[in-house]
Coordinates of all heavy atoms in Angstrom, one line a residue:
V1 N -16.2 0.0 6.2 CA -16.2 -1.1 5.2 C -17.3 -0.8 4.2 O -18.4 -0.5 4.5 CB -16.5 -2.4 5.9 CG1 -16.6 -3.5 4.8 CG2 -15.4 -2.7 6.9
I2 N -16.9 -0.8 2.9 CA -17.9 -0.5 1.8 C -17.9 -1.7 0.8 O -16.9 -2.5 0.7 CB -17.5 0.8 1.1 CG1 -16.2 0.7 0.3 CG2 -17.5 1.9 2.1 CD1 -16.0 1.9 -0.7
A3 N -19.0 -1.8 0.1 CA -19.1 -2.8 -1.0 C -19.1 -2.0 -2.3 O -19.8 -1.1 -2.5 CB -20.5 -3.5 -0.9
V4 N -18.1 -2.3 -3.1 CA -17.9 -1.6 -4.4 C -17.4 -2.5 -5.5 O -16.7 -3.6 -5.2 CB -16.8 -0.4 -4.2 CG1 -15.5 -1.0 -3.8 CG2 -16.7 0.5 -5.4
E5 N -17.8 -2.2 -6.7 CA -17.4 -3.1 -7.8 C -16.6 -2.2 -8.9 O -16.8 -1.0 -8.9 CB -18.6 -3.7 -8.5 CG -19.3 -4.7 -7.6 CD -20.5 -5.3 -8.3 OE1 -20.9 -4.9 -9.4 OE2 -21.1 -6.2 -7.7
D6 N -15.9 -2.9 -9.7 CA -15.2 -2.3 -10.9 C -14.3 -1.1 -10.4 O -14.2 -0.1 -11.1 CB -16.2 -1.7 -11.9 CG -17.1 -2.8 -12.4 OD1 -16.6 -4.0 -12.6 OD2 -18.3 -2.6 -12.6
A7 N -13.6 -1.3 -9.3 CA -12.6 -0.3 -8.9 C -11.2 -0.9 -8.8 O -11.1 -2.1 -8.7 CB -13.0 0.1 -7.5
D8 N -10.2 0.0 -9.0 CA -8.8 -0.5 -8.9 C -8.5 -0.4 -7.4 O -8.3 0.7 -6.8 CB -8.0 0.5 -9.7 CG -6.5 0.1 -9.7 OD1 -6.2 -1.0 -9.2 OD2 -5.7 0.9 -10.1
I9 N -8.4 -1.5 -6.7 CA -8.1 -1.6 -5.3 C -6.6 -1.3 -5.1 O -5.7 -2.1 -5.5 CB -8.5 -2.9 -4.7 CG1 -9.9 -3.2 -5.0 CG2 -8.3 -2.9 -3.2 CD1 -10.9 -2.2 -4.6
L10 N -6.2 -0.2 -4.5 CA -4.9 0.2 -4.3 C -4.3 -0.3 -2.9 O -3.1 -0.5 -2.8 CB -4.7 1.7 -4.3 CG -5.3 2.4 -5.6 CD1 -5.2 3.9 -5.5 CD2 -4.5 1.9 -6.8
A11 N -5.2 -0.6 -2.0 CA -4.8 -1.2 -0.7 C -6.0 -1.8 -0.1 O -7.1 -1.4 -0.2 CB -4.2 -0.1 0.2
T12 N -5.7 -2.9 0.7 CA -6.7 -3.6 1.5 C -6.4 -3.5 2.9 O -5.3 -3.1 3.3 CB -6.8 -5.1 1.1 OG1 -5.5 -5.6 1.2 CG2 -7.2 -5.2 -0.4
M13 N -7.4 -3.8 3.8 CA -7.3 -3.7 5.2 C -6.6 -4.9 5.8 O -7.0 -6.0 5.4 CB -8.6 -3.5 5.9 CG -9.3 -2.2 5.5 SD -10.9 -1.9 6.4 CE -11.6 -0.6 5.5
T14 N -5.6 -4.7 6.6 CA -5.0 -5.7 7.4 C -5.4 -5.4 8.9 O -5.1 -4.3 9.4 CB -3.5 -5.8 7.3 OG1 -3.2 -6.2 5.9 CG2 -2.9 -6.8 8.2
M15 N -6.0 -6.4 9.6 CA -6.4 -6.2 10.9 C -5.3 -6.6 11.9 O -4.5 -7.4 11.6 CB -7.7 -7.0 11.2 CG -8.8 -6.8 10.3 SD -9.3 -5.0 10.2 CE -10.6 -5.1 9.0
P16 N -5.3 -6.0 13.1 CA -4.3 -6.4 14.1 C -4.8 -7.8 14.6 O -5.9 -8.3 14.4 CB -4.5 -5.4 15.2 CG -5.8 -4.8 15.0 CD -6.1 -4.9 13.5
Y17 N -3.9 -8.4 15.4 CA -4.2 -9.8 15.9 C -5.4 -9.8 16.9 O -6.1 -10.8 17.0 CB -2.9 -10.3 16.7 CG -1.8 -10.7 15.8 CD1 -0.7 -9.9 15.5 CD2 -1.8 -12.0 15.1 CE1 0.3 -10.3 14.7 CE2 -0.8 -12.4 14.3 CZ 0.3 -11.5 14.1 OH 1.3 -11.9 13.2
T18 N -5.6 -8.7 17.6 CA -6.6 -8.6 18.6 C -7.5 -7.4 18.4 O -7.2 -6.5 17.7 CB -6.0 -8.5 20.0 OG1 -5.3 -7.3 20.1 CG2 -5.1 -9.7 20.3
K19 N -8.7 -7.5 19.0 CA -9.7 -6.5 19.0 C -9.7 -5.8 20.4 O -9.3 -6.4 21.4 CB -11.1 -7.0 18.7 CG -11.2 -7.7 17.3 CD -12.6 -8.3 17.1 CE -12.7 -9.0 15.8 NZ -14.0 -9.6 15.6
P20 N -10.1 -4.5 20.4 CA -10.0 -3.7 21.7 C -10.7 -4.4 22.9 O -10.2 -4.3 24.0 CB -10.7 -2.4 21.3 CG -10.6 -2.3 19.8 CD -10.7 -3.7 19.3
Q21 N -11.8 -5.1 22.6 CA -12.5 -5.7 23.8 C -11.9 -7.0 24.3 O -12.4 -7.5 25.3 CB -14.0 -5.9 23.4 CG -14.3 -6.9 22.3 CD -14.2 -6.2 20.9 OE1 -13.6 -5.1 20.7 NE2 -15.0 -6.8 19.9
E22 N -11.0 -7.5 23.5 CA -10.4 -8.8 23.9 C -9.4 -8.6 25.1 O -8.6 -7.6 25.1 CB -9.7 -9.5 22.7 CG -10.7 -9.9 21.7 CD -9.9 -10.6 20.5 OE1 -9.1 -10.0 19.9 OE2 -10.3 -11.8 20.2
R23 N -9.3 -9.6 26.0 CA -8.4 -9.5 27.1 C -7.1 -10.3 26.8 O -6.7 -11.2 27.5 CB -9.1 -10.0 28.4 CG -10.3 -9.2 28.8 CD -11.0 -9.8 30.0 NE -10.0 -9.8 31.2 CZ -9.8 -8.7 32.0 NH1 -10.5 -7.6 31.8 NH2 -9.0 -8.8 33.0
R24 N -6.5 -10.1 25.7 CA -5.3 -10.7 25.3 C -4.5 -9.7 24.4 O -5.1 -8.7 24.0 CB -5.5 -12.0 24.6 CG -6.2 -11.8 23.2 CD -6.7 -13.2 22.7 NE -7.3 -13.1 21.4 CZ -6.7 -13.3 20.2 NH1 -5.4 -13.7 20.2 NH2 -7.3 -13.1 19.1
F25 N -3.3 -9.9 24.2 CA -2.5 -9.0 23.4 C -1.4 -9.7 22.6 O -1.0 -10.8 23.0 CB -1.9 -7.9 24.3 CG -0.9 -8.4 25.3 CD1 0.4 -8.6 25.0 CD2 -1.4 -8.7 26.6 CE1 1.3 -9.1 26.0 CE2 -0.5 -9.2 27.6 CZ 0.8 -9.4 27.3
A26 N -1.0 -9.1 21.5 CA 0.1 -9.7 20.7 C 1.4 -9.0 20.9 O 2.5 -9.6 20.5 CB -0.3 -9.6 19.2
S27 N 1.4 -7.8 21.5 CA 2.7 -7.1 21.7 C 2.4 -6.1 22.8 O 1.3 -5.5 23.0 CB 3.1 -6.3 20.4 OG 4.2 -5.5 20.7
I28 N 3.4 -6.0 23.7 CA 3.3 -5.1 24.9 C 3.1 -3.6 24.5 O 2.5 -2.9 25.2 CB 4.4 -5.4 25.9 CG1 4.1 -4.7 27.2 CG2 5.7 -4.9 25.3 CD1 5.0 -5.1 28.3
H29 N 3.8 -3.2 23.5 CA 3.9 -1.8 23.2 C 3.0 -1.4 22.0 O 2.8 -0.2 21.7 CB 5.3 -1.4 22.9 CG 6.2 -1.4 24.1 ND1 5.9 -0.7 25.2 CD2 7.3 -2.2 24.3 CE1 6.9 -1.0 26.1 NE2 7.7 -1.9 25.6
S30 N 2.5 -2.3 21.2 CA 1.7 -1.9 20.0 C 0.7 -2.9 19.6 O 0.5 -3.9 20.3 CB 2.7 -1.8 18.8 OG 3.3 -3.0 18.5
N31 N 0.0 -2.7 18.6 CA -1.0 -3.6 18.1 C -0.7 -4.0 16.7 O -1.3 -3.4 15.7 CB -2.4 -2.9 18.2 CG -3.5 -4.0 18.3 OD1 -3.3 -5.2 18.3 ND2 -4.8 -3.5 18.4
P32 N 0.2 -4.9 16.5 CA 0.8 -5.1 15.1 C -0.2 -5.7 14.2 O -1.1 -6.4 14.6 CB 2.0 -6.0 15.4 CG 1.6 -6.7 16.7 CD 0.9 -5.7 17.5
P33 N 0.1 -5.6 12.8 CA -0.8 -6.2 11.8 C -0.6 -7.7 11.8 O 0.5 -8.2 12.0 CB -0.3 -5.6 10.5 CG 1.1 -5.2 10.8 CD 1.2 -4.8 12.2
G34 N -1.8 -8.4 11.6 CA -1.7 -9.8 11.7 C -2.7 -10.6 10.8 O -2.4 -11.7 10.4
I35 N -3.8 -9.9 10.5 CA -4.9 -10.7 9.8 C -5.2 -9.9 8.5 O -5.9 -8.9 8.5 CB -6.1 -10.8 10.6 CG1 -5.8 -11.4 12.0 CG2 -7.2 -11.6 9.9 CD1 -6.9 -11.4 13.0
P36 N -4.7 -10.4 7.3 CA -5.0 -9.7 6.1 C -6.4 -10.0 5.6 O -7.0 -11.0 6.0 CB -4.0 -10.4 5.1 CG -3.7 -11.7 5.7 CD -3.7 -11.5 7.2
T37 N -7.0 -9.0 4.9 CA -8.4 -9.2 4.4 C -8.4 -8.7 3.0 O -7.4 -8.1 2.5 CB -9.4 -8.4 5.2 OG1 -9.3 -7.0 4.9 CG2 -9.2 -8.6 6.7
E38 N -9.6 -8.8 2.3 CA -9.8 -8.3 1.0 C -10.6 -7.0 1.0 O -11.1 -6.5 0.0 CB -10.5 -9.3 0.1 CG -9.7 -10.6 -0.1 CD -8.3 -10.3 -0.8 OE1 -8.3 -9.5 -1.8 OE2 -7.3 -10.9 -0.4
I39 N -10.8 -6.4 2.2 CA -11.7 -5.3 2.3 C -10.9 -4.0 1.7 O -9.8 -3.8 2.2 CB -12.0 -5.0 3.8 CG1 -12.8 -6.2 4.4 CG2 -12.9 -3.7 3.9 CD1 -13.0 -6.1 5.9
P40 N -11.5 -3.3 0.8 CA -10.8 -2.1 0.3 C -10.5 -1.0 1.3 O -11.4 -0.7 2.1 CB -11.8 -1.6 -0.8 CG -12.7 -2.7 -1.1 CD -12.8 -3.5 0.2
A41 N -9.3 -0.6 1.3 CA -8.9 0.5 2.2 C -8.6 1.8 1.4 O -8.7 2.9 1.8 CB -7.7 0.1 3.0
L42 N -8.1 1.6 0.1 CA -7.8 2.7 -0.8 C -8.1 2.2 -2.2 O -7.6 1.1 -2.6 CB -6.3 3.1 -0.6 CG -5.9 4.3 -1.5 CD1 -6.5 5.6 -1.0 CD2 -4.3 4.4 -1.4
L43 N -8.8 3.0 -3.0 CA -9.1 2.6 -4.3 C -9.3 3.8 -5.2 O -9.4 4.9 -4.8 CB -10.4 1.8 -4.3 CG -11.7 2.5 -3.8 CD1 -12.4 3.3 -4.8 CD2 -12.7 1.4 -3.2
A44 N -9.3 3.5 -6.5 CA -9.6 4.5 -7.6 C -10.6 3.9 -8.5 O -10.5 2.7 -8.8 CB -8.3 4.8 -8.3
K45 N -11.5 4.8 -9.0 CA -12.5 4.3 -9.9 C -12.8 5.3 -10.9 O -13.0 6.5 -10.6 CB -13.8 3.9 -9.1 CG -14.9 3.3 -10.0 CD -16.1 2.8 -9.1 CE -17.1 2.2 -10.0 NZ -18.2 1.6 -9.3
K46 N -12.9 4.9 -12.1 CA -13.3 5.8 -13.2 C -14.8 6.1 -13.2 O -15.6 5.2 -12.9 CB -12.9 5.2 -14.6 CG -11.4 4.9 -14.8 CD -10.6 6.2 -15.0 CE -11.0 6.9 -16.2 NZ -10.2 8.1 -16.4
R47 N -15.1 7.3 -13.4 CA -16.5 7.7 -13.6 C -16.5 8.8 -14.7 O -15.9 9.8 -14.6 CB -17.0 8.3 -12.3 CG -18.5 8.6 -12.4 CD -19.1 9.2 -11.2 NE -20.5 9.5 -11.4 CZ -21.5 8.7 -11.1 NH1 -21.3 7.5 -10.6 NH2 -22.8 9.0 -11.4
G48 N -17.3 8.5 -15.7 CA -17.3 9.4 -16.9 C -15.9 9.5 -17.4 O -15.1 8.6 -17.6

């Protein structure tokens, strides 16, 4: 996770429903996406 300004955010992070240490699950075979965030996952930024 980074803090950045004045960047073109191309993708944000979506978290799964559960964290690894939790004793619950959302799907038997996978860890599907469930919690959207505004954290940058892919971006482009002009420099010079």
Side-chain angles (χ1 to χ4, degrees):
V1 176
I2 68 171
V4 63
E5 296 179 351
D6 302 322
D8 182 12
I9 308 301
L10 305 175
T12 55
M13 295 186 193
T14 293
M15 305 303 177
Y17 287 99
T18 62
K19 299 176 182 179
Q21 63 271 27
E22 291 182 303
R23 296 179 62 85
R24 63 192 184 99
F25 61 89
S27 173
I28 189 171
H29 293 300
S30 63
N31 205 358
I35 306 173
T37 76
E38 298 299 317
I39 301 171
L42 182 69
L43 61 82
K45 184 171 181 177
K46 297 291 292 184
R47 182 181 180 92

